[in-house]
Amino acid sequence: MAIDASEIQKVAHLARLSIDDNQVDATASTINNILELVDQMQSINTDNVEPMAHPLDAVQRLREDKVTEENNREQLQSCAPAVEDGLFLVPKVIE
Amino acid sequence: MMWETVIGLEIHVQLATKTKIFSGASTAFGAEPNTQACAVDLGLPGVLPVVNEEAINMAIRFGLGIDAEINKVNVFDRKNYFYPDLPKGYQTTQLDKPIVGAGHVDITLANGSTKSVRIHHAHLEEDAGKSLHEDYHGMTGIDLNRAGTPLIEIVTEPDLSSSEEAVAFAKKLHSIVTTLGICDGEMSQGSMRFDVNISVRPKGQEDLGTRTETKNLNSFKFMEAAIHKEVARQIDVLEDGGRIVQETRLYNGDTGEARSMRSKEEANDYRYFPCPDLLPVVIEESRLEKLRANLPEMPDAKKIRFISDYSLSDIDADILSGNQATAAFFETAAKLSGNAKLTSNWVLGEVTRSLNANDTTIANSPVTAEMLASLIARIKDNTISGNIAKKVFEAMWNGEGKDADEVIEKKGLKQVTDTGAIETMIDDVLAANAQQVENYRAAPPEKRGKMIGFFVGQAMKASKGKANPGMVNQILKKKLDD
């Protein structure tokens, strides 16, 4: 499968990436190279192969339900551009 | 044309864990903004999630509680979208390997029949933060305390066909999750939130109509009203020759207004993929066995037991077993008082009325199960009549005594059962109402039954309600008829 310029713009928008108009074609061709590789892999027969969710053959360790984090608001908000009344401020969101 | 409504629900249930699903930050409700949002919840670079064991256990308990299959290998996926209250840019959720598979929840309909509602699946995920749209100099405030709170999202099949059924289902689910102790059930705090998928179709048509989704209803009342409104809207549109647009709608419970939400751009393109930060969570048989062995009695089983152990009616047993706290209150009082029927009447009557009137819950009732039992014991042994008992109940509710005996003693409400005293009182009543006595004696026997009520009323009034009504009746009859 190959993707075109409009697809690139759509995916860039979804990922909130800014791609200059003059870079779109180059980006499309780079991504199409990757997709060609994916196509090659798709041709491999995987009939009896269980899809894996993670490259490591290990299982998730679980954590005890105990509060370990303390209030660290001041430090965590020190890198935020705008804060008020303990809230992070962001450009207005209207639904 | 006759229309048929088809409803399916998606329910977000906040799990009652102490900490977040992927971090050790507290989930306690009502904290100062962002004081319970740690680096993991904020999605800062370099952090890694670690799964909370209790969230896994609670999700499994839900599955076991509704007879569902539990998925042994659990994978978490990323659902990608941008919104300021989702700092990571994705929600960690489960796409095609949900922890809870197909199950069912049975509801009792108004006509007494039972309907089995199929659960498609339930998956684990994390909650988002909260956006505060009050004006902060033209900006939006973000509180991330809720971000990362564990949720199970329960998805039903479209098996419900009216708002009444949907509400009955919602209440049953509330009863199940609170009985299991996996959710505090505080709807006003957002602990259970309902998304309602609604479509209508001409009666008899096989294919489903186009559906809309009304999101985030957090009370049974709002849910009922929102469904009524949306069903009426869809029928109006269709009968006017229009068509239904698949969309997400918002219902405002305060104004009763519903509106279309700006349809999310590229709504369905969430670009899910397995979360590389989390390994599969494997659930061993030993864990399932342990959790299964510790399941509490579920509402359906409790109802059946209440009917057989306490000879309650189906409807009374249904209500009493529907709420964990009410059921425990009833059982304690019934055992102590030794009269289940009377206890059931009181819990469903005065107790419920007083709780509603004071907008409180049974857990906070000033009259405890022990106090109610003391009251019922005194009705049973004829110390007080049912009417006086209401006064004693009210006094206990207002904190005027630690049990019924204390109130009865303090207020002198003990029932008069002394035959001599009642006879004297009745003689006075009869003497004061000579004309009515004459009328009574002149009346044919079939009319007397009604007429005697007057004298009973007078006698009870004379005794300030304290005379034993049965004895008053008996003595009056004897004196009037002889």
Side-chain angles (χ1 to χ4, degrees):
Chain A
M1 87 184 224
I3 67 172
D4 58 20
S6 75
E7 194 81 9
I8 290 291
Q9 266 149 347
K10 184 181 153 200
V11 173
H13 171 70
L14 283 172
R16 298 297 186 274
L17 292 174
S18 140
I19 295 183
D20 285 346
D21 285 347
N22 58 21
Q23 287 181 330
V24 170
D25 286 338
T27 309
S29 112
T30 309
I31 289 182
N32 277 324
N33 281 340
I34 297 167
L35 290 176
E36 267 169 43
L37 185 66
V38 173
D39 278 341
Q40 275 181 46
M41 292 196 282
Q42 296 279 38
S43 67
I44 298 166
N45 184 332
T46 55
D47 281 354
N48 294 310
V49 181
E50 183 82 5
M52 59 187 199
H54 200 278
L56 294 183
D57 186 19
V59 298
Q60 178 68 40
R61 282 182 47 152
L62 301 176
R63 170 178 59 81
E64 192 189 345
D65 185 26
K66 214 170 90 187
V67 176
T68 53
E69 298 296 323
E70 289 171 356
N71 173 21
N72 204 9
R73 183 171 76 183
E74 208 173 314
Q75 198 193 351
L76 289 170
Q77 290 193 329
S78 63
C79 57
V83 169
E84 192 174 311
D85 298 342
L87 298 165
F88 293 96
L89 296 190
V90 299
K92 198 162 186 68
V93 184
I94 308 239
E95 284 187 340
Chain B
M1 189 184 292
M2 291 287 284
W3 297 93
E4 196 172 58
T5 305
V6 179
I7 300 171
L9 299 177
E10 288 164 29
I11 308 99
H12 287 95
V13 174
Q14 276 186 355
L15 297 178
T17 55
K18 295 186 192 75
T19 64
K20 307 277 174 84
I21 185 168
F22 299 123
S23 82
S26 169
T27 54
F29 181 81
E32 282 288 301
N34 293 308
T35 53
Q36 294 176 171
C38 70
V40 172
D41 308 326
L42 297 183
L44 293 187
V47 298
L48 278 176
V50 187
V51 180
N52 182 344
E53 177 170 22
E54 200 50 27
I56 300 286
N57 287 345
M58 286 183 174
I60 295 173
R61 282 161 67 83
F62 175 73
L64 296 175
I66 62 159
D67 288 335
E69 280 290 311
I70 306 298
N71 217 328
K72 298 286 168 52
V73 179
N74 278 272
V75 174
F76 284 99
D77 299 281
R78 291 185 177 182
K79 176 181 179 176
N80 299 280
Y81 65 94
F82 281 97
Y83 205 76
D85 57 23
L86 186 78
K88 294 186 296 181
Y90 60 85
Q91 179 193 31
T92 307
T93 178
Q94 294 187 293
L95 180 62
D96 49 21
K97 289 206 161 105
I99 186 156
V100 175
H104 65 96
V105 169
D106 299 341
I107 56 172
T108 306
L109 303 181
N111 65 10
S113 66
T114 300
K115 179 170 185 168
S116 187
V117 179
R118 292 169 299 157
I119 303 297
H120 181 271
H121 77 271
H123 62 259
L124 265 169
E125 61 184 29
E126 59 182 338
D127 212 339
K130 272 184 188 162
S131 303
L132 295 130
H133 298 292
E134 293 99 56
D135 200 3
Y136 287 95
H137 332 289
M139 299 181 90
T140 294
I142 304 289
D143 176 8
L144 295 170
N145 280 349
R146 200 180 65 179
T149 297
L151 299 174
I152 45 171
E153 180 176 337
I154 303 161
V155 180
T156 76
E157 297 284 357
D159 284 351
L160 299 156
S161 52
S162 68
S163 63
E164 292 76 17
E165 285 186 22
V167 169
F169 173 83
K171 287 186 173 165
K172 185 61 175 285
L173 198 63
H174 184 271
S175 156
I176 289 173
V177 297
T178 51
T179 298
L180 288 167
I182 62 170
C183 174
D184 65 17
E186 298 292 346
M187 313 252 312
S188 62
Q189 297 176 2
S191 294
M192 272 182 97
R193 313 192 295 266
F194 295 84
D195 298 346
V196 190
N197 289 298
I198 303 170
S199 66
V200 298
R201 62 182 170 190
K203 209 171 171 65
Q205 179 181 303
E206 186 98 1
D207 292 343
L208 291 171
T210 304
R211 67 185 160 85
T212 63
E213 181 178 27
T214 303
K215 270 187 143 24
N216 262 330
L217 299 163
N218 68 349
S219 92
F220 301 131
K221 211 173 79 193
F222 291 167
M223 186 167 135
E224 185 166 18
I227 293 173
H228 272 299
K229 203 177 176 80
E230 177 58 10
V231 167
R233 186 191 72 87
Q234 289 192 12
I235 291 174
D236 276 353
V237 168
L238 293 170
E239 290 193 337
D240 287 347
R243 58 180 200 91
I244 303 299
V245 181
Q246 185 166 346
E247 63 183 353
T248 301
R249 298 179 64 82
L250 278 183
Y251 176 81
N252 182 331
D254 297 327
T255 61
E257 299 286 310
R259 63 180 170 86
S260 174
M261 214 166 106
R262 180 180 59 91
S263 65
K264 253 185 226 160
E265 225 175 318
E266 336 272 357
N268 293 316
D269 205 344
Y270 290 126
R271 294 149 295 143
Y272 283 92
F273 61 87
C275 180
D277 285 348
L278 290 161
L279 291 157
V281 174
V282 175
I283 295 162
E284 313 85 2
E285 194 55 43
S286 58
R287 181 182 294 274
L288 285 184
E289 269 166 34
K290 207 170 132 198
L291 291 169
R292 193 179 276 121
N294 288 310
L295 276 189
E297 183 180 37
M298 297 305 289
D300 284 344
K302 190 171 291 215
K303 177 180 163 182
I304 291 165
R305 186 169 60 80
F306 278 7
I307 293 172
S308 71
D309 284 10
Y310 300 113
S311 309
L312 297 185
S313 71
D314 195 274
I315 187 86
D316 289 355
D318 195 59
I319 302 171
L320 288 172
S321 63
N323 176 298
Q324 175 85 335
T326 309
F329 187 99
F330 160 75
E331 251 193 312
T332 307
K335 280 191 182 136
L336 287 172
S337 72
N339 190 323
K341 182 65 198 146
L342 210 47
T343 305
S344 158
N345 290 347
W346 274 82
V347 172
L348 297 175
E350 287 301 303
V351 176
T352 304
R353 239 193 312 283
S354 304
L355 293 173
N356 290 344
N358 293 283
D359 201 20
T360 184
T361 60
I362 203 152
N364 300 313
S365 169
V367 176
T368 62
E370 289 76 11
M371 288 159 83
L372 182 68
S374 74
L375 180 65
I376 285 161
R378 292 300 158 261
I379 302 171
K380 225 178 74 177
D381 69 11
N382 271 327
T383 305
I384 50 172
S385 66
N387 265 330
I388 293 287
K390 285 186 185 167
K391 287 187 188 159
V392 177
F393 180 84
E394 206 181 299
M396 289 197 295
W397 185 277
N398 295 324
E400 296 173 45
K402 63 176 192 317
D403 60 15
D405 288 335
E406 193 184 323
V407 173
I408 294 165
E409 179 65 38
K410 249 200 317 212
K411 300 203 161 214
L413 294 172
K414 194 167 188 302
Q415 184 158 260
V416 179
T417 50
D418 172 358
T419 316
I422 293 177
E423 279 194 352
T424 312
M425 210 168 52
I426 285 176
D427 286 341
D428 291 346
V429 167
L430 295 184
N433 296 286
Q435 184 58 48
Q436 277 87 346
V437 173
E438 226 171 278
N439 292 349
Y440 178 91
R441 289 187 170 139
E446 67 269 21
K447 286 206 173 160
R448 288 182 173 182
K450 261 192 179 165
M451 292 171 81
I452 203 167
F454 167 77
F455 299 103
V456 175
Q458 293 295 314
M460 292 305 291
K461 207 165 135 192
S463 78
K464 298 200 177 71
K466 287 190 286 182
N468 178 305
M471 289 176 69
V472 167
N473 228 311
Q474 203 185 353
I475 295 169
L476 260 174
K477 239 189 192 138
K478 198 153 166 270
K479 283 187 183 286
L480 284 166
D481 290 353
D482 287 351

